[in-house]
Amino acid sequence: AQSVTQLDSQVPVFEEAPVELRCNYSSSVSVYLFWYVQYPNQGLQLLLKYLSGSTLVKGINGFEAEFNKSQTSFHLRKPSVHISDTAEYFCAVSETEAGGTSYGKLTFGQGTILTVHP
Amino acid sequence: SQTIHQWPATLVQPVGSPLSLECTVEGTSNPNLYWYRQAAGRGLQLLFYSVGIGQISSEVPQNLSASRPQDRQFILSSKKLLLSDSGFYLCAWSGGFYNEQFFGPGTRLTVL
């Protein structure tokens, strides 16, 4: 079974500052990794995903994340945030076809609320 | 392009009343379908998933049930709601188990 830990429940930051949202995962097999964003009272929108290949993944809205297998991390970063980035962010993991038995079901972290102040 | 709909958007129900939430997907066929519940500060909990018509897998024992009467329709039900059923319910679809999931707009359920 896999698990996901988002290390910060809330991250306040000023507009135009850089931000990093941290995510660590645990799994005994290889994984796929995802970041989703949720605006208030809305569903989740996929920001980016890591399936294979380059460990630096670029997503929508200027976000990127880096897969670090040795540290089992998938931290989300943005060099300069906007007020409109205020939202809750979820890291998720699924086992790959190669070794998993969970049929690709997603396990989510508890979420990190990013608040961008003017 | 594919779209996913949920209704109603919000619902306030008394304890002990029945529940029916509906989710439909357009623009794809034979999707995997999922129901999640999101409680404040607790992330998303997978409730049910379905790989085809009439095929439902339950992840956690609870007061809820799910059905898939048509290929692109997924229904979440309860015969008698409990206070603990309150939450934000999200439906999602994917093109296969190892593909990313796409979420609907959600239903906010308040049980009083």
Side-chain angles (χ1 to χ4, degrees):
Chain A
Q2 66 262 34
S3 65
V4 178
T5 301
Q6 291 183 240
L7 297 159
D8 306 292
S9 59
Q10 297 191 53
V11 174
V13 64
F14 286 106
E15 193 173 19
E16 298 184 4
V19 70
E20 179 181 81
L21 306 183
R22 297 180 293 167
C23 172
N24 285 95
Y25 70 91
S26 173
S27 177
S28 56
V29 299
S30 55
V31 297
Y32 297 139
L33 294 155
F34 308 86
W35 274 100
Y36 285 86
V37 60
Q38 184 179 35
Y39 299 101
N41 293 310
Q42 295 186 25
L44 276 68
Q45 180 183 8
L46 182 67
L47 270 179
L48 49 79
K49 60 186 177 184
Y50 171 80
L51 303 180
S52 65
S54 173
T55 57
L56 183 62
V57 180
K58 294 189 182 298
I60 62 172
N61 300 341
F63 283 94
E64 63 180 33
E66 187 160 17
F67 171 52
N68 188 319
K69 188 175 181 179
S70 63
Q71 297 187 9
T72 61
S73 67
F74 191 54
H75 300 334
L76 181 70
R77 301 186 183 98
K78 186 170 182 177
S80 176
V81 295
H82 303 289
I83 297 290
S84 59
D85 292 322
T86 295
E88 189 163 15
Y89 292 78
F90 291 93
C91 182
V93 62
S94 74
E95 295 176 349
T96 68
E97 300 94 325
T101 58
S102 64
Y103 304 101
K105 288 178 286 185
L106 287 177
T107 298
F108 286 86
Q110 297 302 303
T112 297
I113 297 173
L114 173 65
T115 304
V116 181
H117 298 284
Chain B
S1 65
Q2 301 87 7
T3 56
I4 178 168
H5 304 279
Q6 287 186 246
W7 63 88
T10 60
L11 190 61
V12 180
Q13 291 284 91
V15 169
S17 63
L19 173 73
S20 181
L21 303 182
E22 189 166 344
C23 169
T24 60
V25 181
E26 297 177 354
T28 186
S29 59
N30 197 31
N32 284 358
L33 296 171
Y34 308 83
W35 277 112
Y36 291 88
R37 177 168 57 205
Q38 185 179 23
R42 297 182 63 181
L44 278 78
Q45 180 185 34
L46 179 62
L47 302 176
F48 301 95
Y49 68 93
S50 171
V51 301
I53 296 174
Q55 300 179 63
I56 308 295
S57 296
S58 174
E59 285 295 291
V60 293
Q62 59 203 315
N63 186 42
L64 302 168
S65 62
S67 62
R68 185 170 177 175
Q70 299 181 44
D71 181 46
R72 290 169 289 175
Q73 183 184 31
F74 204 23
I75 296 173
L76 184 69
S77 303
S78 174
K79 292 182 179 178
K80 290 185 177 182
L81 284 169
L82 306 172
L83 287 174
S84 57
D85 292 323
S86 293
F88 193 49
Y89 288 82
L90 290 160
C91 180
W93 75 272
S94 71
F97 273 128
Y98 299 99
N99 299 344
E100 61 265 36
Q101 294 179 20
F102 300 94
F103 287 79
T107 294
R108 174 78 59 192
L109 171 65
T110 302
V111 182
L112 301 174

